[in-house]
Amino acid sequence: MAAEPVWSVDPRTGKPREQVAVEATAEEVDQAVRAAQATHEALADRVLRAAFLRTAADLLDASGEHVVEAADAETALGPVRLTGELARTTAQLRAFADVVEDGSFLDVRIDRPDPGAIPPRPDLRRWKIPLGVVAVYAASNFPLAFSVPGGDTASALAAGCPVVVKAHPDHPATSELCASLLRRAAAKAGLPEDVVVLVHGFDAGLELVRHPLVAAAGFTGSIRGGRALFDAAVARPVPIPFHGELGSLNPVVVTEAAAAERAEEIGAGLAGSMTLGAGQFCTKPGLVLAPRGADGDRFLDALTAAVSETEPAVMLDHRMRDAFVAGVAERAALAGVHTPVTPGAGGAHTVSAGVLAVDAAALSGDGHRLLLEECFGPVTVVARYSTREEVTAVLGLLPGNLTAGLHIAEDDETAAPLLAELTPLAGRVLVNGWPTGVAVAPAQHHGGPYPATTSTSTSVGATAIERWLRPVAYQSTPGHLLPPELRDGNPLGVPRR
């Protein structure tokens, strides 16, 4: 059977641009994984790892014009957005280089022997080691920061794990370009190029997660696709960790006091957040609980006005566009749903942003549960509540989320109990802010209860490296046999407890 071609497609027209590659066969996936596995000893050198990550960032910056041009041609996200995303991506690579050099991620813990303890304690020295080859599944909506050179790749390499990336079909040319830059960076830093290997194809993605030498996987995408890969990962003869980011509604509660204080400001802020990037952010606020009454009306009017001024946008591909158009039509047809701004098709290749409004009490009915599911694209649902109990009832219906937001006024008596209700729902809780935009910082957490993610880990921030490590303790081991990081005198100067 002939290999299936991989085409780069222009989402602005739906027409193929060029053939970029061919889909990998099972044999080629096996070769890719084995080639990556063969580099693990070279990656053990932390000095080389840090140099590699910084070199990768430098090469991406130096090729920035070409990278942005390639990504825009395949995603229609625009040069401004993509230039910012590239800066985020290279900053992330450099941040992980700092993490590698610091050494705290090794979590070194040393307990001296104490024969008088009950029970007696031997000499114990614990640290963390890399798992092995990591499979990374690129995301559609972030062709750089969550794809080939993105956070999963950067954190896995920082941990000392070679990476095999399954390119996303929406931006194969961008993936090839970025992979070539990472491989060049590896060679310049003195590492084998195969510390990063790229494959294409749906079947290749399944072969990858099932390969016996793949030790863990990172995924960003849909619930359906992520769950299928997760199930395959845990059904293996030797199950592996699967860190998947699958979907999120990102609920927001606007208190009565906040609406009274700044209804127009909150409405305009929501419009900017839910239409950012054509509503294709995983952190888009998709459900907003707002009060009934005059203040809530002012909020909805401001939101309506701002969304009405939004120009039609191109989505990442026509399949997503068609799913959005069908999804908002199905939601708008539900009883009691109003459309202050009607979302849907903006043209043959575009979509128009919109707002759906409904009584909060209606969401408890089985026929309206669809409104509590993520709709990928520029739409949000505003649920109007009359009582505090209605807010609690809606929040009790929600699955796990990446984020949850709360807009309050100064000295708002409802703030503390609402914050307590939102905290179990999400991995990041925001007060008086909007969730689109995830800072790359040591204290960041980008994850949440299922189905937001399949694990309790974060995919953004310094602690994302922890996903690709496992602890090992050495007991009563002679010093010359220990890794240098665990020896007496701390010859490498790593932080230790």
Side-chain angles (χ1 to χ4, degrees), residues 255 257-258 261-262 407-413 415 432:
T255 68
E261 182 180 85
R262 56 183 198 287
H407 283 265
I408 61 174
E410 189 174 354
D411 299 324
D412 196 326
E413 294 181 355
N432 291 343

Side-chain angles (χ1 to χ4, degrees), residues 84 95 101 115 130 132 148 194 196 198 203 215 243 262 280 300 311 313 320 326 341 343 368 444 451 467 479:
E101 285 184 338
V148 174
D194 286 338
V196 177
L198 184 71
D203 289 341
H243 300 284
R262 56 183 198 287
Q280 297 172 117
L300 187 57
E311 294 294 325
M320 293 183 191
V341 187
H368 289 74
Q444 185 59 271
R467 297 174 296 169

